[in-house]
Amino acid sequence: MVNALNAEAKLPCKLVLKPLGTTPDEITAICRDANYDDKCAGLVVWLHTFSPAKMWINGLSILNKPLLQFHTQFNAQIPWGSIDMDFMNLNQAAHGDREFGFMVSRLRKNRKVVVGHWAEERVQKQIGEWSRVAAGWDDWQGAKFARFGDNMRFVAVTDGDKVEAETKFGFSVNTWGIGDLVSVVNSIGDGEIKTLIEEYEASYKMAESLLSRGSNRKSLEVAARIELGLEKFLKEGNFKGFSDTFEDLHGLEQLPGIAVQRLMEKGYGFAGEGDWKTAALVRAMKTMGQGLEGGNAFMEDYTYHLNPSNPSILGSHMLEVDPVLAIDKPSCEIHPLGIGGKADPVRLVFNSRGNIDSLNAALMDFGNHFRLLINKAKALEITEELPKLPVARVLWKPLPDLYTAAEAWILAGGAHHTCYSENISVEQLEDFAEIAGIESLVIDEDTKIRDFKNTLRWNEIYYR
């Protein structure tokens, strides 16, 4: 079974068969080993015979890794002509898994349950997707996120309790003065800048003014220097993500644009204006979606298209949208930016893919608990020209429709910053919230406002 799942289930990491646990001490040892093994992202448990579950009390009590209970059996069908009591006693997951399930529930342990035969494609897909969730959670443990400057002044939803977040999620967030970054940026040599600009020219459609003899060539060199310095800072500090704010740029000649876009494409989490929660969420979802078609990217709901025939949302940001979403080769351009009080920043301009399923997810701090809000969507193709909007553009229709989705999002206190995903499912994000022990709320094709309001009320009581 393990060999087949490793070969066929498209797992992001390898399943390792551990010795059979038949005593409390053996089971405790397995759980303890899982806790201390940095290479272990979680446990998959199958009770293929009857297993008195009191043997699991100590092991489950100390287990701090994600848990999946795989409710399966080796045989796909009952061997009607040969079945006897010996066969029954050795093939009774229907019995043992129920006993184990009681104990996990009795101990109030969160876990994922997957039901079906191990050779079924549907079952293998569920295990593979959960494994990606476990990998995303594992990536958060001990992760470091840098915050250059503080939160955007007076903004509420992007702020939060960093101490509670580290306790709950396992990652730390600390602030670094922009001067610390500037000193690294200024240490970058001209040779490194030249090499990076050659990479720009080979990768993107370059605006004429940014070419070797163009009027804005110096600005491109500044942008490259910022990217190289920022990446050096992140690597030396072993950071997995970061945030900055246009209100704190002292010492930088321009707001990082192309630098942030390309670092996100390399896997770093990011969100603007000091929004460390979204930066961490972007990193987790990038980890979950690694190797899959499509991408995960920092996003902001910017403006509505309220045409009654096709109401939709145009998403973007001032500069920082991940080119992993681009439908074509991005264009490298320079344009004025009306905020920040700095030189015109270089950025990548592109449209995103359309006609695919997608979603937006946001993480908020409500004081007494964290909430993960998820809205299913349908990405739309951008067919209009946007000559005066020189930023990355993403268009989508939220489900069940713009009016219901926006009302539900606002009722739930949803943030304007999100992670936009083309390859992560609602179920995976619900599993992620389950592992974290936080609330998850879903807005999808079945959402009704009356029911959604009631869910908010019930959840408020539960999480209080």
Side-chain angles (χ1 to χ4, degrees), residues 232-252:
K232 182 179 180 181
F233 187 100
L234 296 173
K235 284 182 176 179
E236 289 180 348
N238 196 30
F239 294 105
K240 292 184 176 179
F242 64 103
S243 180
D244 61 17
T245 174
F246 63 90
E247 290 178 329
D248 190 354
L249 296 173
H250 183 71
L252 288 180

Side-chain angles (χ1 to χ4, degrees), residues 35-85:
N35 285 344
Y36 296 135
D37 188 347
D38 291 338
K39 294 182 179 179
C40 176
L43 243 60
V44 178
V45 178
W46 170 43
L47 289 298
H48 69 93
T49 64
F50 181 60
S51 176
K54 287 174 68 175
M55 295 192 299
W56 283 87
I57 291 176
N58 190 52
L60 288 174
S61 296
I62 66 170
L63 182 66
N64 59 23
K65 293 290 179 78
L67 175 66
L68 183 149
Q69 182 178 354
F70 188 17
H71 189 40
T72 189
Q73 61 188 29
F74 183 74
N75 55 298
Q77 302 179 47
I78 295 173
W80 300 105
S82 60
I83 188 170
D84 55 20
M85 285 308 300

Side-chain angles (χ1 to χ4, degrees), residues 122-396:
R122 172 190 62 83
V123 172
Q124 293 177 352
K125 183 173 184 290
Q126 280 189 285
I127 294 174
E129 290 183 346
W130 179 85
S131 298
R132 289 183 172 278
V133 173
W137 176 255
D138 183 73
D139 184 71
W140 261 10
Q141 306 315 299
K144 296 164 58 180
F145 292 87
R147 201 172 181 214
F148 298 110
D150 200 357
N151 195 59
M152 180 179 171
R153 289 187 283 274
F154 307 116
V155 176
V157 73
T158 53
D159 216 336
D161 188 337
K162 297 192 290 294
V163 174
E164 183 63 20
E166 187 167 352
T167 303
K168 197 74 175 174
F169 301 130
F171 62 76
S172 64
V173 181
N174 287 289
T175 297
W176 298 82
I178 197 71
D180 295 321
L181 173 60
V182 169
S183 64
V184 179
V185 170
N186 290 341
S187 72
I188 301 300
D190 292 342
E192 297 174 85
I193 294 171
K194 180 176 181 295
T195 299
L196 182 56
I197 288 179
E198 289 172 354
E199 183 178 331
Y200 290 168
E201 292 171 336
S203 303
Y204 312 118
K205 295 177 285 187
M206 303 296 296
E208 286 190 17
S209 69
L210 297 177
L211 295 177
S212 59
R213 297 182 181 179
S215 58
N216 294 123
R217 183 67 170 193
K218 179 63 177 176
S219 295
L220 185 66
E221 294 171 358
V222 169
R225 185 184 298 275
I226 291 174
E227 177 180 341
L228 289 164
L230 185 50
E231 185 169 16
K232 182 179 180 181
F233 187 100
L234 296 173
K235 284 182 176 179
E236 289 180 348
N238 196 30
F239 294 105
K240 292 184 176 179
F242 64 103
S243 180
D244 61 17
T245 174
F246 63 90
E247 290 178 329
D248 190 354
L249 296 173
H250 183 71
L252 288 180
E253 294 185 44
Q254 56 181 259
L255 179 64
I258 189 174
V260 172
Q261 291 178 291
R262 284 170 50 85
L263 287 170
M264 282 192 289
E265 191 174 22
K266 291 180 179 180
Y268 287 99
F270 173 83
E273 291 92 56
D275 186 358
W276 53 270
K277 297 190 301 298
T278 303
L281 182 62
V282 169
R283 168 67 188 198
M285 292 174 66
K286 280 182 172 291
T287 301
M288 285 187 256
Q290 187 174 354
L292 299 178
E293 185 177 350
N296 294 274
F298 168 55
M299 188 55 59
E300 180 170 281
D301 296 62
Y302 237 100
T303 193
Y304 293 135
H305 183 57
L306 292 178
N307 185 325
S309 65
N310 191 29
S312 52
I313 298 175
L314 181 64
S316 185
H317 204 254
M318 297 179 297
L319 301 172
E320 312 99 338
V321 176
D322 193 335
V324 73
L325 302 179
I327 190 171
D328 294 314
K329 180 186 287 189
S331 174
C332 184
E333 303 178 13
I334 182 170
H335 298 275
L337 185 66
I339 60 175
K342 293 290 182 177
D344 299 344
V346 177
R347 82 289 301 270
L348 298 176
V349 178
F350 58 86
N351 289 335
S352 69
R353 289 176 285 270
N355 302 314
I356 58 174
D357 294 329
S358 60
L359 61 78
N360 272 289
L363 181 63
M364 292 79 63
D365 182 352
F366 278 85
N368 60 354
H369 72 287
F370 290 95
R371 171 178 293 162
L372 182 62
L373 183 60
I374 310 153
N375 187 191
K376 289 179 68 175
K378 186 75 174 182
L380 303 176
E381 183 181 356
I382 298 175
T383 58
E384 302 291 334
E385 295 295 324
L386 295 162
K388 296 184 178 181
L389 189 65
V391 292
R393 291 80 58 125
V394 185
L395 187 68
W396 69 85

